[in-house]
């Protein structure tokens, strides 16, 4: 039965379904200010810890804030900043990896030793160290995760460029008088984009989990702003009486991360890309 389910939910069908789910999450996040029924930060102690009602579909939290509204705004931060981390790391990784792989020599050695030095530390430990230096806050977390993630894209891109630069079309570009930068921009980067983006799709789930984990620890988004990990942290004090305060954001994190992972695996199978 499990094999039948996996066979049915793979390939083009998995890509389509996961893409629709992710697109819906992004649309809801973008439209949160217009579709959210209440303010995400307005405190109303007279309405605290209320159950679901017509006015508050998912009830209220310990400060009387509408749970549904905070979940919608939390999607903006979780998805928005995960996308920023992905795009920033992807850009840096492609540029560094392309330069290292194409130019080679001492530049390649220095850049790859730098990558290996960063990869020698566990991601979370390194991120915690960076956040500890610069202090808690979402921008600090964004910077820390970006500085950690780009090395994986750089190494993968570098390995692909090394195999590409001896190709006939690259030799033809050199003979035609194209500069190294023109060859990298016009011929190298377009040929490494697809595998890198496929792997980046898998990393999006990890970025969301890292943002949520650091916010849960009090190092990411700061009150009163809404973020899924921070909402779980706020709900820990009411885990026995009102577990839904933790369940709601936890379910959303689970759905988004699993969807990105399934999409990434389906894309990697379709295009024959091996995860790092």
């Amino acid at each position: 039965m499990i094999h039948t389910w996996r066979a049915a939910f793979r390939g083009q069908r998995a890509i389509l379904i996961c893409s629709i789910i992710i697109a819906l999450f992004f649309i809801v996040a973008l439209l949160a200010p217009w579709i959210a029924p209440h303010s995400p930060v307005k405190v109303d102690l007279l309405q605290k810890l209320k159950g679901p009602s017509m006015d508050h579909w998912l009830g209220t939290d310990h400060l009387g804030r509408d749970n549904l509204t905070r979940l919608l705004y939390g999607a903006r931060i979780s998805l928005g900043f995960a996308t920023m981390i992905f795009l920033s790391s992807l850009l840096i990784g492609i540029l560094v990896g392309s330069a290292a792989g194409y130019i080679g020599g001492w530049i390649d050695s220095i850049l790859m030793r730098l990558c290996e030095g960063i990869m020698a530390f566990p991601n979370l430990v390194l991120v915690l160290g960076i956040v500890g230096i610069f202090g808690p806050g979402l921008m600090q977390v964004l910077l820390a995760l970006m500085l950690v993630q780009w090395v994986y894209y750089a190494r993968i891109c570098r390995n692909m460029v090394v195999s590409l630069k001896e190709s006939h079309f690259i030799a033809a570009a050199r003979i035609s008088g194209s500069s190294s930068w023109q060859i990298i921009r016009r011929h190298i980067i377009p040929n490494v984009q697809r595998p890198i983006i496929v792997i980046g799709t898998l990393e999006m789930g990890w970025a969301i989990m890292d943002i949520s984990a650091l916010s849960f620890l009090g190092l990411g988004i700061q009150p009163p702003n809404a973020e899924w990990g921070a909402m779980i942290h706020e709900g820990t004090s009411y885990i026995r009486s009102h577990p839904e305060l933790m369940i709601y954001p936890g379910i959303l994190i689970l759905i988004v991360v699993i969807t990105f992972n399934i999409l990434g695996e389906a894309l990697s199978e379709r295009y024959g890309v091996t995860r790092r």
Side-chain angles (χ1 to χ4, degrees), residues 1-17:
M1 182 177 179
I2 295 177
H3 295 292
T4 303
W5 178 85
R6 290 187 63 184
F9 196 67
R10 65 190 306 174
Q12 189 66 32
R13 181 181 299 179
I15 294 172
L16 177 61
I17 295 175

Side-chain angles (χ1 to χ4, degrees), residues 178-190:
S178 298
S179 64
S180 296
W181 168 242
Q182 289 175 328
I183 293 174
I184 291 174
R185 180 170 58 88
R186 295 177 182 176
H187 303 288
I188 297 293
I189 292 180

Side-chain angles (χ1 to χ4, degrees), residues 21-30 71-87 138 142 204-205 207-209 211-212 226-228 252-253 255-257 259-260:
I21 294 173
I22 292 171
L24 288 175
F25 269 98
F26 273 99
I27 291 171
V28 168
L30 289 172
L71 290 171
L72 294 175
Y73 275 86
R76 292 171 64 86
I77 293 177
S78 296
L79 294 176
F81 278 86
T83 303
M84 291 178 63
I85 292 169
F86 164 64
L87 294 177
L138 195 55
L142 176 66
M204 275 288 290
I208 293 171
M209 289 187 64
I211 292 172
S212 299
E227 194 277 330
W228 292 341
L252 292 181
I253 293 173
I255 292 173
V256 173
V257 172
T259 303
F260 270 113

Side-chain angles (χ1 to χ4, degrees), residues 2-107:
I2 295 177
H3 295 292
T4 303
W5 178 85
R6 290 187 63 184
F9 196 67
R10 65 190 306 174
Q12 189 66 32
R13 181 181 299 179
I15 294 172
L16 177 61
I17 295 175
C18 292
S19 298
I20 292 173
I21 294 173
I22 292 171
L24 288 175
F25 269 98
F26 273 99
I27 291 171
V28 168
L30 289 172
L31 298 180
W34 292 275
I35 63 177
H38 299 278
S39 168
V41 297
K42 184 179 179 180
V43 175
D44 185 0
L45 295 179
L46 296 177
Q47 297 292 325
K48 68 177 183 179
L49 300 175
K50 294 290 186 178
S53 64
M54 292 300 296
D55 193 35
H56 301 283
W57 290 5
L58 296 180
T60 60
D61 66 3
H62 61 295
L63 295 177
R65 298 171 297 191
D66 184 66
N67 285 328
L68 176 59
T69 298
R70 289 181 62 78
L71 290 171
L72 294 175
Y73 275 86
R76 292 171 64 86
I77 293 177
S78 296
L79 294 176
F81 278 86
T83 303
M84 291 178 63
I85 292 169
F86 164 64
L87 294 177
S88 302
S89 304
L90 182 66
L91 177 61
I92 297 172
I94 287 179
L95 292 176
V96 172
S98 297
Y102 185 79
I103 298 173
W106 62 271
I107 293 180

